[in-house]
Amino acid sequence: MTTRLIDDSLFDCVVPPRLAGARCSGCGTVVFPRQDSCPRCPDGSMSGHVLPVRGRVWSWTLQAFPPKPPYRPPAGGHRPYHVGYVDLGELLVEGRLAVPRARIRIGLPVRLAMVPAYHDEDGTEVLTFAFRPDDEEEGER
C-alpha cells in the first residue's frame, strides 16, 4: 500500500516519528508547527527544533462532529475521535489522541505515533500524527 504524509513540514522524520518545531535564538520560545518568526520577541531567529516524543495529556475532548474543511472524513464517514493538548515539556501540542475512552485522563503518559487520516482518491493512505498511551512509562508508576 502506498502512503504519504498529510503535511511533510510537520515532521522531522517518520521512522521513528518525530515532529519538527522551531526554537527562537533570542528568547528560547519553542513553537509547533515551524514558523519563521518568534511569536514572543522581535529579536531572535527561528531554527529547526525536533520535539520530544513523550508527553502527558494536558486536556482533551471528543471531536463528535466533522471538523470544517480541509478535514476529509475516512471511508464510511466521520467517526468521533479524541483530541487534546499534550504537554511535551517545552510546549503544548494539539493533536489526535489514539486512546480508548476507558483509559483517557489528564496526566496520561502518551507517545507520538503515526495514524491513518484518510485515503486519497487513488487509494494512497494519508498519515498524520497522534499520541498513543505510553505503556512503558505508565508501567513505571
Side-chain angles (χ1 to χ4, degrees):
M1 172 183 292
T2 305
T3 62
R4 73 172 178 85
L5 298 175
I6 197 161
D7 182 343
D8 291 343
S9 71
L10 298 177
F11 303 92
D12 180 68
C13 63
V14 178
V15 180
R18 298 297 301 259
L19 296 176
R23 179 186 297 276
C24 176
S25 63
C27 68
T29 296
V30 176
V31 297
F32 176 79
R34 285 184 263 202
Q35 57 190 55
D36 296 329
S37 61
C38 181
R40 293 213 173 126
C41 80
D43 300 326
S45 62
M46 302 299 282
S47 60
H49 180 73
V50 180
L51 301 182
V53 296
R54 290 179 154 157
R56 293 187 178 272
V57 173
W58 186 79
S59 181
W60 66 275
T61 191
L62 179 69
Q63 181 66 48
F65 55 88
K68 295 176 185 175
Y71 171 77
R72 292 178 58 181
H78 175 76
R79 289 181 290 273
Y81 56 91
H82 297 111
V83 294
Y85 286 107
V86 173
D87 185 347
L88 295 179
E90 300 175 301
L91 78 162
L92 296 176
V93 170
E94 182 181 0
R96 189 171 190 159
L97 301 174
V99 180
R101 173 61 189 103
R103 290 192 62 192
I104 199 165
R105 62 179 168 77
I106 292 173
L108 177 72
V110 290
R111 184 179 192 93
L112 185 67
M114 301 300 290
V115 297
Y118 57 87
H119 287 83
D120 276 340
E121 294 75 22
D122 67 0
T124 300
E125 184 176 56
V126 179
L127 301 174
T128 190
F129 71 93
F131 293 91
R132 297 191 185 280
D134 188 354
D135 294 328
E136 187 176 307
E137 187 172 325
E138 185 81 350
E140 294 173 4
R141 294 176 116 206

